[in-house]
């Protein structure tokens, strides 16, 4: 990348984006002024970076705007609609899952952000796991706003069952939870300020994860949960055990 004087660049570092305008470019150094970012960056006012390291530091060109809060928060990756072999939409998946389907030959791309399964085997396996019930939750866009207040900027990924407690859920169930919801940083702070509940792990893993789900709902009273969401979405537990060798 060749940084240009006067151009605006942005990068994400944690939850807050940094936005700069290039003021000087020499053979060795890029100097810039901060337009948006964490308090420590704004207090500094300016900074510099070696030209050869500018691109690898994560800076990307961005449009100049009056404000840049839309860049704050977690990176939101694109999603893909997935059609069954008959051409009917049955679910929406992440870019990572879409790449997996394409790499394995389970699906092919028929339009921008639209895949179609190539044979019924994969969709039949999914229908078995979910007892044929692809609810509206499967087609929902789940990363476009805070599930609590509806804010569309400065979003973070919230783990309903905290990462440090998720290990208490045995496999294969642990990998099948709908455990991540998007919340804004303000709602996330409210959640973090609330006392953590005394939820003991038990032999009944479902009761354990439902207790965390209920705690999340009690603290934040989410108004914009994806339609049909529950932390446990798989319905056919016997089929899941069979697929995982349980």
């Amino acid at each position: 990348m060749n940084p240009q004087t006067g151009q605006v660049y942005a990068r994400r570092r944690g939850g807050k984006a940094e936005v700069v305008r290039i003021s000087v470019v020499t053979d060795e150094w890029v100097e810039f002024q901060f337009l948006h970012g964490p308090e420590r960056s704004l207090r500094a006012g300016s900074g510099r970076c070696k030209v050869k390291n500018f691109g690898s530091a994560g800076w990307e060109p961005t449009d100049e705007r009056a404000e840049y809060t839309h860049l704050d928060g977690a990176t939101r990756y694109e999603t893909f609609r997935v059609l069954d072999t008959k051409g009917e939409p049955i679910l929406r998946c992440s870019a990572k899952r879409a790449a997996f389907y394409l790499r394995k030959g389970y699906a092919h791309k028929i339009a921008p952000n639209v895949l179609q399964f190539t044979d019924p085997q994969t969709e039949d396996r999914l229908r078995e796991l979910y007892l044929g019930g692809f609810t509206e939750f499967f087609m929902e866009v789940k990363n476009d706003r805070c599930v609590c207040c509806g804010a569309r900027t400065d979003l973070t990924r919230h783990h309903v069952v905290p990462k440090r407690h998720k290990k208490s859920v045995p496999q294969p169930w642990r990998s099948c939870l709908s455990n991540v919801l998007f919340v804004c940083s303000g709602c996330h702070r409210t959640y973090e300020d609330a006392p953590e509940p005394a939820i003991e792990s038990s032999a009944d893993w479902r009761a354990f994860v439902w207790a965390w789900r209920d705690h999340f709902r009690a603290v934040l009273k989410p108004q914009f949960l994806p339609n049909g969401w529950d932390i446990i979405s798989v319905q056919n537990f016997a089929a899941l055990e069979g697929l995982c060798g349980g």
Side-chain angles (χ1 to χ4, degrees), residues 12-108:
R12 282 190 174 90
R13 303 191 72 178
K16 195 82 169 179
E18 287 183 319
V19 183
V20 300
R21 181 185 289 111
I22 303 299
S23 53
V24 177
V25 179
T26 67
D27 289 342
E28 186 175 5
W29 292 98
V30 181
E31 298 181 10
F32 46 77
Q33 300 293 319
F34 284 102
L35 305 178
H36 177 85
E39 290 185 8
R40 65 181 183 279
S41 298
L42 296 179
R43 284 198 301 268
S46 62
R48 69 175 188 166
C49 174
K50 287 194 173 183
V51 171
K52 65 180 182 180
N53 297 332
F54 190 75
S56 60
W59 296 108
E60 295 287 347
T62 191
D63 294 332
E64 185 165 358
R65 299 169 60 125
E67 53 86 25
Y68 299 93
T69 56
H70 68 290
L71 297 175
D72 292 337
T75 302
R76 284 176 276 175
Y77 298 101
E78 60 184 352
T79 61
F80 288 74
R81 287 198 308 142
V82 182
L83 315 183
D84 64 16
T85 52
K86 297 178 181 178
E88 295 296 323
I90 58 173
L91 59 90
R92 184 179 295 274
C93 72
S94 65
K96 182 178 179 179
R97 175 59 60 175
F100 171 78
Y101 286 149
L102 292 170
R103 186 172 67 252
K104 292 291 188 179
Y106 298 155
H108 63 278

Side-chain angles (χ1 to χ4, degrees), residues 159-171 173-174 177 179 191 196-217 229-232 237:
H159 294 80
V160 180
V161 178
K163 289 182 177 180
R164 63 186 177 279
H165 294 304
K166 195 177 177 184
K167 62 184 180 182
S168 297
V169 182
Q171 292 288 18
W173 323 116
R174 187 189 314 160
L177 300 179
N179 193 47
Y191 183 87
E196 184 168 298
I199 300 175
E200 298 293 335
S201 59
S202 67
D204 186 349
W205 66 271
R206 282 173 284 190
F208 178 72
V209 300
W210 279 330
W212 281 105
R213 175 203 63 186
D214 294 344
H215 172 67
F216 172 76
R217 284 176 164 164
W229 175 82
D230 198 337
I231 192 168
I232 302 172
F237 299 122

